[in-house]
Amino acid sequence: MRSTPGTHAWLLIIFCTSVVSVLASDEFQTYLLHRTSSNLVQLNEHPVQALLLSAFWIENPASLPLYVVLFELIHARVERAIGTLRWVIVVATAHIAATLISQKAVLYQIQHHDAPRHLIHVVDIGVSYGLAASAGTLTYLLPGRLRWLYAAGVIAFFAIPLAADATFTDLGHAIALTIGFAFWPLTRGRERHPELAR
């Protein structure tokens, strides 16, 4: 059975940044969240830094236990099945593409006066785009009918908020999920990993 160093290294970094966030003063926490965000201002001034750092912070540290569970159920399974390098490709592609496209949508709305200008400073951090992509890729690693039931459930989970609210985050999730689905070729040979059927 393959190990999952990527998943657990990512979790460790998120744990560390969450501790920093909890211990920081309210003013410093606000500064950190905006400085590590991949909003329009940060993408314009520090694009590589913004895309990288935004993947290692969560806005609400109290949600860390939930992310631990989701990482184990989704990321770890996908990484174990397709290997760390391929898993990183899936997650990084989704995080970068979903961030850039969703922020481009924010810019378009601002330019056409459909959204307030202060959204150029919006906090856009977190691991959810990567999770959405892994959730999409996981579809192909599940057996038989479970695969189709799971696919329907995960599509509904991300499509319903998109249809109801259509925030930039909802758009990003939909993009990331689609990218995860698109990486199906990386899941070939999944029969070598029967633990995924359990």
Side-chain angles (χ1 to χ4, degrees):
M1 182 184 300
R2 291 173 176 170
S3 60
T4 55
T7 296
H8 295 109
W10 198 0
L11 272 176
L12 178 60
I13 297 172
I14 293 169
F15 172 78
C16 293
T17 57
S18 296
V19 170
V20 170
S21 184
V22 168
L23 296 178
S25 65
D26 290 344
E27 294 79 8
F28 188 53
Q29 183 184 54
T30 299
Y31 168 79
L32 284 174
L33 292 181
H34 283 87
R35 193 69 176 83
T36 58
S37 179
S38 52
N39 57 38
L40 288 169
V41 170
Q42 295 300 321
L43 285 173
N44 182 60
E45 296 179 356
H46 315 284
V48 176
Q49 176 182 302
L51 288 169
L52 180 63
L53 293 182
S54 62
F56 296 107
W57 292 79
I58 54 178
E59 195 165 358
N60 180 13
S63 62
L64 182 60
L66 173 61
Y67 282 116
V68 171
V69 172
L70 292 174
F71 269 52
E72 292 297 333
L73 290 177
I74 299 174
H75 278 317
R77 285 190 164 194
V78 174
E79 183 183 5
R80 188 178 296 118
I82 68 176
T84 300
L85 178 59
R86 291 181 176 188
W87 169 77
V88 168
I89 291 172
V90 172
V91 171
T93 301
H95 176 73
I96 293 170
T99 297
L100 294 178
I101 295 171
S102 62
Q103 285 300 313
K104 185 68 173 178
V106 171
L107 179 60
Y108 178 87
Q109 289 181 318
I110 291 173
Q111 290 174 335
H112 289 78
H113 310 290
D114 293 326
R117 184 170 175 75
H118 70 77
L119 285 183
I120 64 173
H121 298 286
V122 72
V123 173
D124 185 17
I125 59 171
V127 300
S128 58
Y129 293 163
L131 270 170
S134 277
T137 303
L138 180 60
T139 302
Y140 308 109
L141 303 172
L142 298 174
R145 293 180 180 177
L146 178 59
R147 174 183 304 173
W148 303 110
L149 289 172
Y150 170 83
V154 78
I155 290 171
F157 181 82
F158 290 110
I160 291 173
L162 179 64
D165 270 344
T167 66
F168 75 89
T169 303
D170 296 324
L171 174 61
H173 288 151
I175 293 166
L177 179 65
T178 303
I179 290 171
F181 284 140
F183 273 111
W184 70 267
L186 298 187
T187 64
R188 290 174 179 171
R190 60 192 181 279
E191 64 277 4
R192 295 194 300 268
H193 311 287
E195 72 276 2
L196 290 168
R198 293 201 298 268

